[in-house]
């Protein structure tokens, strides 16, 4: 279903969706799976969520961000609103040039490799 189709009777659709989520009867649909080629010849899976799943996910994200955003420290940048990797790199660059740094830790959870560099 497209956004344009979902928009027909939008208010009623959202009320009904909210009701299903609230009652616990909402079930996410299976994501459409497609494969993205990687430069090394391998492929990476990509799951495409249904329209209603995207609406529910966005709603939950909004609620959880309001709850947990205050718990994050100022230097946390991962998956936070209005913060991105370029800002994190700018702050990192500033810190390395202007502050005393004794160590740097870089962790790649996906690839299971960890690199630690000591700076004296």
């Amino acid at each position: 279903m497209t956004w344009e189709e979902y928009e027909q009777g939008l208010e009623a659709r959202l009320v009904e969706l909210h009701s299903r989520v609230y009652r616990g009867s909402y079930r996410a649909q299976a994501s459409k799976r497609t494969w993205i080629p990687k430069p090394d010849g391998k492929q990476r899976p990509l799951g495409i969520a249904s329209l209603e799943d995207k609406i529910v996910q966005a709603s939950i994200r909004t609620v959880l961000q309001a709850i947990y955003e205050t718990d994050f420290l100022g230097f946390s940048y991962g998956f936070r609103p209005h913060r991105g990797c370029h800002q994190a790199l700018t702050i990192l660059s500033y810190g390395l040039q202007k502050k005393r740094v004794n160590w740097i830790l870089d962790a790649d959870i996906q690839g299971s490799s960890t690199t630690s560099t000591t700076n004296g």
Side-chain angles (χ1 to χ4, degrees):
M1 178 178 292
T2 66
W3 286 100
E4 290 84 14
E5 293 168 341
Y6 198 85
E7 186 178 28
Q8 304 304 314
L10 179 62
E11 190 71 31
R13 287 183 192 270
L14 293 178
V15 167
E16 194 272 332
L17 177 59
H18 175 268
S19 176
R20 284 187 286 143
V21 170
Y22 188 77
R23 288 191 323 263
S25 65
Y26 176 79
R27 297 290 177 258
Q29 296 178 21
S31 292
K32 178 181 176 186
R33 178 71 60 197
T34 189
W35 295 88
I36 308 296
K38 294 171 64 174
D40 63 3
K42 296 181 181 178
Q43 291 189 332
R44 164 175 90 78
L46 175 67
I48 303 170
S50 73
L51 181 58
E52 280 194 337
D53 290 345
K54 290 178 182 181
I55 294 169
V56 171
Q57 291 168 5
S59 300
I60 291 170
R61 181 186 65 239
T62 300
V63 170
L64 291 178
Q65 276 180 349
I67 294 169
Y68 291 109
E69 184 63 25
T70 58
D71 292 338
F72 284 105
L73 299 175
F75 55 80
S76 295
Y77 281 82
F79 303 102
R80 292 184 60 202
H82 311 295
R83 292 178 182 237
C85 58
H86 290 103
Q87 291 169 312
L89 289 173
T90 299
I91 296 300
L92 177 63
S93 176
Y94 173 82
L96 291 173
Q97 293 175 23
K98 305 291 184 186
K99 304 289 183 181
R100 179 173 163 80
V101 177
N102 292 323
W103 55 268
I104 298 172
L105 175 67
D106 175 34
D108 180 355
I109 304 300
Q110 178 71 26
S112 299
S113 68
T114 303
T115 306
S116 179
T117 305
T118 302
N119 178 4

